[in-house]
């Protein structure tokens, strides 16, 4: 993966934004919600893997600020 990418993953309602430069690979997200955040999969974030509330709560736990939310509604 290249050094400084900003990627967006959406389910049509909510969008998770991930900034690689900020990610500390603390894996807080992977451990917290593996059905959405799975580094073995591509794309590694599947917003449709859990309900929106769980996704939002997990994004909020990201210690580095690499994960943020954008709501489309
Ligand atoms: S919780 Fe945040 S810092 Fe940790 S791996 Fe996920 S995106 Fe990266």
């Amino acid at each position: 993966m290249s050094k400084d990418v900003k990627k967006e993953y959406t389910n049509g309602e909510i969008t998770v934004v991930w900034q690689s430069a900020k990610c500390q690979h603390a894996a807080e997200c992977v451990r917290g919600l593996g059905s959405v955040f799975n580094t073995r999969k591509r794309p590694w974030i599947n917003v449709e893997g859990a309900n929106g509330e769980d996704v939002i709560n997990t994004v909020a736990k990201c210690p580095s600020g690499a994960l943020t939310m954008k709501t489309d509604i």
Side-chain angles (χ1 to χ4, degrees):
M1 216 176 278
S2 61
K3 270 202 152 172
D4 189 5
V5 291
K6 182 174 180 179
K7 289 201 169 177
E8 297 191 0
Y9 306 87
T10 186
N11 67 1
E13 284 186 350
I14 55 174
T15 301
V16 175
V17 183
W18 177 71
Q19 291 171 266
S20 67
K22 288 187 185 171
C23 182
Q24 295 165 351
H25 305 285
E28 213 51 58
C29 54
V30 178
R31 269 184 279 129
L33 198 62
S35 59
V36 172
F37 302 95
N38 185 340
T39 50
R40 291 199 198 97
K41 291 198 177 159
R42 291 292 176 268
W44 79 279
I45 299 177
N46 171 22
V47 184
E48 292 178 34
N51 69 53
E53 208 180 311
D54 286 347
V55 175
I56 290 166
N57 287 338
T58 305
V59 165
K61 286 181 195 153
C62 174
S64 67
L67 291 175
T68 51
M69 298 293 307
K70 257 180 28 185
T71 43
D72 299 337
I73 43 172

